Amino acid sequence: KWFSIPQCWRFETTQRGRKREHYQWNMDIVGVEGVTAELELLAAITTFFTNLGISCKDVGIKINSRKVLGAIVHAAGVSKEMFAPVCVIIDKLDKIGPEAVTDELKNKQVPEESAKMILDAMKCKSIDELAKLCEGKVDMTAVEEMKQVFRCAKAYGFEDFLIFDASVVRGLAYYTGIVFECFDRRGELRAICGGGRYDRLMTLYGSQKEVPCVGFGFGDCVIMELLKELNLLPEIVEKTKRRVDFVVAPFNNDLYGPACSVANTLRENGFSVEMLLEPQKKVRKAFSYADKAGARRIVLVAPSEWEKKSVKIKDLRKVADDNDKGDEVKLEDLVEAMKKAFKQDKKSEVAEEGKE
């Protein structure tokens, strides 16, 4: 199992949801022949949507099998060599319609009767309907795989995201099995993500045998458009905002070493800490830095307090009060005092949420 989020480039006419430069979340499982791998990837996608506040009412995942299509195309008398070009043409079905697809298939020397059989299969609205059409004509193994995906998706809890769509073939020639494509239910955006099984791809790069692989690509462009449409960005930005427990601010260069020891003590006890790298004698500047960093508290390491083996701590989320100079805390009591303070913060936050 692996994933990556690389920066990608392509020659492209810039348009909504498609740019020349973007980031893409890739996720793949290598070495698993069964559809359990596909299920795990689909679970990752749907969990991601759920965590963002996107439901099955907002998006769906169309799913099909290139194995089934391959069997149908073969039964229609189309050679193996022509399978990939035929898939590229079928992939245009939603864009150009059945008549134009038939014409393009005929241009590839696919007989009209064979083209009709292929398009009839594309019209199937359920796996059972497809199974009925294929019965007695093709190997039913691939159809059973599809049924297993939907059965397990129900147990997994994301069945409502899945939609069987016989016309989804994914244009890339290397797909060999189940393929899927995510879309917005409003039908206003491009595909959000897509992927499938590609068991033969490794042989193009030197593998002596086929290696079972399945994966997907999920770009950042379309999902951002969808989040804007659903007005979910403000909430996500707030939830993922950088959280810093403390900014440790030395009064001068001589106190930078002691400030480092304070920061280290706090970090060792699980707190997130940022150091003020340029000591500021003016406390206001230190406060400004801590506020920009999103810190909850600032630790001031100043001469008078340090002589007493203490530091001064100010809660930056309290209502501004010119008389509040912060609390002086002994170094030996620092960790326990801060653990109690943050525990109290959490209780206060839960109480506020309860009022809402």
Side-chain angles (χ1 to χ4, degrees):
K1 296 178 183 179
W2 75 283
F3 79 93
S4 62
I5 308 177
Q7 191 173 10
C8 305
W9 293 266
R10 59 190 166 203
F11 181 72
E12 182 64 72
T13 302
T14 303
Q15 52 192 295
R16 187 186 185 198
R18 199 163 179 85
K19 299 176 181 178
R20 291 184 177 179
E21 179 183 347
H22 69 287
Y23 285 88
Q24 180 167 298
W25 169 32
N26 301 311
M27 192 169 182
D28 300 78
I29 296 177
V30 178
V32 179
E33 295 181 357
V35 295
T36 51
E38 281 89 339
L39 282 158
E40 196 70 3
L41 296 180
L42 291 167
I45 293 170
T46 53
T47 300
F48 175 71
F49 284 138
T50 302
N51 288 343
L52 289 179
I54 298 172
S55 73
C56 59
K57 294 179 182 178
D58 303 311
V59 299
I61 302 175
K62 295 177 181 178
I63 185 167
N64 190 23
S65 172
R66 286 281 279 263
K67 278 186 186 177
V68 177
L69 179 61
I72 292 168
V73 169
H74 180 69
V78 178
S79 66
K80 286 185 178 180
E81 293 73 22
M82 286 300 299
F83 178 61
V86 165
C87 284
V88 172
I89 295 170
I90 293 171
D91 194 44
K92 302 176 186 177
L93 185 60
D94 285 343
K95 295 177 182 176
I96 65 176
E99 290 183 7
V101 166
T102 300
D103 290 340
E104 289 200 20
L105 289 172
K106 285 162 69 176
N107 289 338
K108 290 289 185 181
Q109 309 305 312
V110 176
E112 188 171 348
E113 190 60 34
S114 297
K116 182 180 183 302
M117 181 178 174
I118 292 168
L119 287 173
D120 284 345
M122 298 303 100
K123 294 175 185 175
C124 292
K125 299 299 182 186
S126 69
I127 299 175
D128 291 335
E129 190 179 337
L130 181 67
K132 189 175 180 181
L133 179 71
C134 293
E135 196 170 5
K137 299 176 184 176
V138 302
D139 181 0
M140 298 296 285
T141 305
V143 176
E144 289 304 318
E145 281 184 351
M146 289 284 291
K147 288 184 176 181
Q148 184 185 351
V149 168
F150 277 86
R151 281 197 304 270
C152 293
K154 185 175 183 179
Y156 227 140
F158 60 80
E159 182 192 29
D160 291 340
F161 280 95
L162 301 189
I163 300 160
F164 172 74
D165 189 332
S167 68
V168 172
V169 296
R170 303 285 292 166
L172 297 173
Y174 55 69
Y175 287 117
T176 58
I178 286 175
V179 288
F180 50 87
E181 201 166 86
C182 184
F183 67 100
D184 72 295
R185 300 271 187 181
R186 299 179 187 181
E188 297 175 359
L189 302 171
R190 307 175 69 93
I192 300 168
C193 68
R197 181 166 286 275
Y198 52 98
D199 289 348
R200 301 190 192 105
L201 188 61
M202 293 299 187
T203 60
L204 297 178
Y205 297 94
S207 176
Q208 297 302 305
K209 61 179 182 179
E210 290 185 6
V211 179
C213 300
V214 61
F216 67 79
F218 194 131
D220 64 344
C221 298
V222 181
I223 188 66
M224 285 298 291
E225 293 295 330
L226 181 62
L227 291 171
K228 290 174 188 175
E229 288 283 334
L230 299 175
N231 197 32
L232 290 171
L233 273 180
E235 183 180 345
I236 292 168
V237 169
E238 181 59 32
K239 281 183 179 179
T240 56
K241 190 184 290 183
R242 184 168 177 246
R243 306 291 178 187
V244 178
D245 295 328
F246 297 98
V247 162
V248 177
F251 179 76
N252 56 37
N253 288 324
D254 291 338
L255 288 168
Y256 194 81
C260 288
S261 69
V262 172
N264 186 54
T265 298
L266 291 169
R267 284 170 179 158
E268 284 182 338
N269 284 276
F271 294 106
S272 60
V273 180
E274 183 165 329
M275 282 287 294
L276 181 63
L277 301 180
E278 297 179 328
Q280 301 289 342
K281 289 186 178 181
K282 292 185 178 179
V283 176
R284 180 172 52 82
K285 288 186 177 181
F287 282 180
S288 176
Y289 178 88
D291 191 52
K292 287 177 183 177
R296 177 66 194 242
R297 289 176 170 83
I298 186 169
V299 182
L300 300 168
V301 183
S304 56
E305 284 81 16
W306 192 253
E307 285 178 6
K308 295 182 284 184
K309 295 184 178 180
S310 301
V311 291
K312 187 157 283 187
I313 298 176
K314 185 170 173 61
D315 188 340
L316 299 174
R317 293 295 174 264
K318 285 184 177 179
V319 178
D321 183 352
D322 292 338
N323 296 319
D324 182 9
K325 304 299 181 183
D327 300 316
E328 191 171 319
V329 179
K330 288 282 187 185
L331 292 175
E332 61 187 41
D333 300 328
L334 179 62
V335 172
E336 286 306 312
M338 291 303 97
K339 283 182 177 179
K340 287 180 182 178
F342 275 88
K343 191 174 182 180
Q344 185 57 47
D345 292 343
K346 192 67 180 174
K347 285 182 179 179
S348 300
E349 288 170 8
V350 170
E352 285 298 318
E353 287 174 6
K355 290 178 183 178
E356 292 175 6

